């Protein structure tokens, strides 16, 4: 992201607003969306007094984003898709609102076997493989880019990136 301009930024499933706060300073405009009113209240409190007046949080659904087609430059989705009923549909909807050459960054878990996360933390998915995510990207007409694995014990977090077709190639 360092060599790219963030431009108009969307954080899907913003939760407490941590990613919006971190990247918002470099964005032209920033929006965090979430379905949880409680999380949005935490995000608003986090943003208050930070000088990020060009950033906002809104109640919205990741399967039906309240933005026109091709209106967002950079989208993040951090630790959200393992809760999703249909992660591929969420990626396709994110791709819909990306501008040509817009960047989508997903951060989530690599495949794992911690079944108790389903019962105790409402995870629907036990991580995602690189091939699975690349398939979602291709189906949404995104060009898969760099993948970075952050090895952990017991969970590995992976950061996947893709660029909207009609633009430059995905970052290496």
């Amino acid at each position: 992201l360092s060599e790219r301009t963030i431009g108009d930024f969307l954080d899907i499933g913003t939760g407490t607003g941590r990613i919006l706060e971190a990247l918002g300073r470099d964005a032209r405009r920033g929006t965090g969306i979430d379905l949880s009113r409680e999380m949005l209240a935490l995000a608003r409190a986090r943003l208050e007094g930070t000088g990020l007046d060009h950033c906002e949080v809104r109640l919205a659904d990741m399967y039906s984003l309240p933005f026109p087609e091709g209106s967002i430059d950079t989208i993040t989705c951090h630790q959200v898709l393992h809760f999703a009923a249909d992660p591929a549909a969420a990626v396709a909807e994110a791709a819909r609102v990306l501008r040509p050459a817009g960047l989508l960054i997903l951060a989530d878990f690599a495949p794992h076997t911690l079944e108790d996360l389903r019962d105790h933390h409402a995870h629907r998915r036990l991580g995602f493989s690189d091939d699975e995510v690349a398939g979602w990207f291709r189906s949404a007409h995104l060009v898969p880019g760099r993948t970075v694995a952050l090895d952990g014990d017991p969970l590995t977090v992976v950061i996947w990136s893709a660029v909207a077709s009609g633009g430059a190639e995905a970052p290496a």
Side-chain angles (χ1 to χ4, degrees), residues 108-154:
D108 219 303
F109 297 120
H112 62 84
T113 58
L114 300 177
E115 284 286 342
D116 65 319
L117 292 177
R118 291 185 199 271
D119 298 329
H120 297 105
H121 298 284
H123 290 205
R124 291 180 182 219
R125 313 271 183 213
L126 297 180
F128 305 101
S129 71
D130 293 344
D131 287 342
E132 183 176 26
V133 174
W136 299 336
F137 287 161
R138 285 188 202 93
S139 291
H141 306 288
L142 300 172
V143 179
R146 186 173 182 207
T147 298
V148 177
L150 307 171
D151 292 329
D153 183 16

Side-chain angles (χ1 to χ4, degrees), residues 21-111:
E21 180 186 30
L23 297 179
R25 294 198 190 294
D26 297 321
R28 181 174 35 248
R29 280 185 319 214
T31 304
I33 63 131
D34 208 293
L35 273 180
S36 167
R37 292 182 191 281
E38 294 79 15
M39 287 291 111
L40 290 172
L42 291 172
R44 280 188 189 96
R46 174 181 285 255
L47 292 175
E48 199 170 299
T50 62
L52 296 174
D53 297 335
H54 61 291
C55 294
E56 66 174 351
V57 295
R58 308 171 52 174
L59 185 69
D61 186 337
M62 69 180 165
Y63 300 114
S64 181
L65 296 170
F67 303 98
E69 187 172 321
S71 61
I72 305 292
D73 297 298
T74 305
I75 299 175
T76 55
C77 188
H78 179 259
Q79 296 295 347
V80 172
L81 292 181
H82 59 262
F83 295 110
D86 189 349
V91 168
E93 178 62 359
R96 180 188 68 78
V97 302
L98 273 177
R99 287 192 173 116
L103 177 65
L104 173 60
I105 300 170
L106 305 178
D108 219 303
F109 297 120

